[in-house]
Amino acid sequence: MSNATMRHLISTKDLTDADLRALVERGAEFSRGGVRSGDQLAGLIAGIHFLKTSTRTRTSFSSAALRLGAQLVSFGPDDLQTNTGETLEDTAEVLSRMLDLLVVRTAGDPAELRVFARQDRMAVVNAMTADEHPTQAIADLTTMLTHFGRVEGLRVCYVGEGNNSAAALALTLSRYPDVQLELRTPPGYGLDPGTLRQAQHNARASGARVSETHSMASPPQGADVIYTTRWQTTGTSKPDPGWRDVFAPFQVTAALWERSPDAVFLHDLPAHRGEDVTAEVLDGPHSLAFDQSENKMYAAMAVLEWCVAKR
């Protein structure tokens, strides 16, 4: 595959506004069943390389590639010769001569994916690094667009750690006009300051609003979406042994719907009932968490198609 028909997705910051909207809209088209699939990736080989555990993201990309007509080669954390000292540069060069796409989850430094992306034969997709989970955000926005018919103007309250899912959500929602994103994060566990500054910069340009507080003193008012994530993010640990006490007030409970009775609930899963969210909320009538999970596959289809589509 020549570089004329190949694009990488390492960070949402690499996407133009038009690219972001196109990916979300295409994901929604797949979600609604409005797109014939089966041959978009026909004749291509997709590699799936996950260094960390995954249920939804690995399955969504594997299923997406197969549904679009690609064939799969899967690698586990111990399968490549990087474990015996081969450089990332050499590994990327070799894989690029055999694969058309490579989907990678590291939960580590995104610079590693930039190394994979230096070659010009194989598209590289970030399926999660320590700083950002870009395809999760595309699935999140796909879910919002499918449910509300729009992303513009939505009022979103994110509750919990300022982790890689929160970062991707902030970096993407902030690019839609009139969105109001309120992040409520535990003290000491907020969004990376650089990411928050970038999201607020995006918001000034788009007419959105992004704010962060470290208190749950009052429930959100008039939210359309209440979103949380697992407290113990994949591939990370917390140095403070008392961190659960800090997080406890940020549990998502039914009380958060007192002033936002029409809000839907999103969660990137896996969830720990009784910890980050109560069972009453996750399994209740407001929850779209499992629709959101299914939309990871449709978002993955949109991403893979975009990566190899002609410019």
Side-chain angles (χ1 to χ4, degrees):
M1 184 170 60
S2 72
N3 60 4
T5 61
M6 180 271 292
R7 293 180 282 200
H8 306 299
L9 177 52
I10 308 300
S11 169
T12 60
K13 290 178 281 190
D14 300 333
L15 296 172
T16 67
D17 288 350
D19 286 337
L20 175 60
R21 283 164 174 73
L23 285 167
V24 173
E25 289 166 8
R26 190 62 165 171
E29 286 182 317
F30 279 121
S31 180
R32 297 181 185 118
V35 183
R36 179 187 62 82
S37 61
D39 61 0
Q40 288 93 330
L41 302 185
L44 301 184
I45 308 296
I48 308 291
H49 180 35
F50 275 52
L51 300 178
K52 297 295 181 180
T53 58
S54 174
T55 298
R56 278 146 293 276
T57 306
R58 182 168 184 159
T59 306
S60 66
F61 272 103
S62 299
S63 181
L66 292 169
R67 287 171 184 267
L68 294 177
Q71 298 183 65
L72 285 181
V73 179
S74 294
F75 308 101
D78 301 318
D79 289 344
L80 297 182
Q81 295 286 13
T82 48
N83 288 315
T84 64
E86 184 173 33
T87 66
L88 289 177
E89 290 85 353
D90 287 355
T91 302
E93 182 64 23
V94 169
L95 292 179
S96 73
R97 293 166 182 258
M98 302 178 187
L99 301 175
D100 301 293
L101 302 116
L102 181 65
V103 181
V104 186
R105 165 172 285 190
T106 69
D109 189 339
E112 296 174 356
L113 270 67
R114 301 284 181 192
V115 173
F116 276 110
R118 286 175 189 166
Q119 46 68 42
D120 62 359
R121 298 185 179 198
M122 174 183 70
V124 178
V125 177
N126 178 0
M128 193 178 78
T129 48
D131 66 323
E132 191 181 348
H133 196 347
T135 60
Q136 178 64 53
I138 294 169
D140 297 341
L141 271 60
T142 292
T143 304
M144 295 179 202
L145 179 59
T146 302
H147 181 78
F148 293 102
R150 61 185 171 91
V151 177
E152 294 82 358
L154 292 180
R155 296 162 296 179
V156 179
C157 181
Y158 173 89
V159 180
E161 186 174 19
N163 56 22
N164 45 25
S165 288
L169 187 70
L171 290 169
T172 52
L173 274 179
S174 59
R175 295 164 72 172
Y176 282 79
D178 301 320
V179 161
Q180 297 180 42
L181 173 61
E182 178 186 3
L183 298 125
R184 298 197 181 194
T185 57
Y189 294 94
L191 211 61
D192 171 77
T195 299
L196 181 59
R197 285 194 298 271
Q198 180 64 56
Q200 291 175 331
H201 172 79
N202 295 348
R204 286 192 292 272
S206 69
R209 188 173 69 192
V210 176
S211 62
E212 182 178 46
T213 60
H214 306 296
S215 171
M216 293 296 292
S218 62
Q221 183 171 3
D224 298 302
V225 178
I226 297 174
Y227 188 140
T228 196
T229 66
R230 181 183 180 180
W231 285 351
Q232 193 70 49
T233 304
T234 301
T236 65
S237 60
K238 296 178 174 58
D240 176 12
W243 68 268
R244 290 181 186 277
D245 294 332
V246 178
F247 275 68
F250 293 82
Q251 182 186 71
V252 172
T253 70
L256 295 188
W257 272 258
E258 290 177 4
R259 299 170 66 187
S260 300
D262 298 321
V264 299
F265 174 67
L266 297 184
H267 193 305
D268 62 355
L269 301 179
H272 284 189
R273 291 170 176 83
E275 192 170 85
D276 36 81
V277 60
T278 63
E280 179 184 13
V281 171
L282 181 61
D283 302 316
H286 297 285
S287 179
L288 298 181
F290 293 97
D291 291 340
Q292 177 188 5
S293 180
E294 180 181 352
N295 282 332
K296 292 194 74 166
M297 178 180 67
Y298 300 124
M301 292 169 73
V303 166
L304 293 178
E305 182 186 62
W306 177 86
C307 282
V308 299
K310 292 183 179 179
R311 293 181 185 271

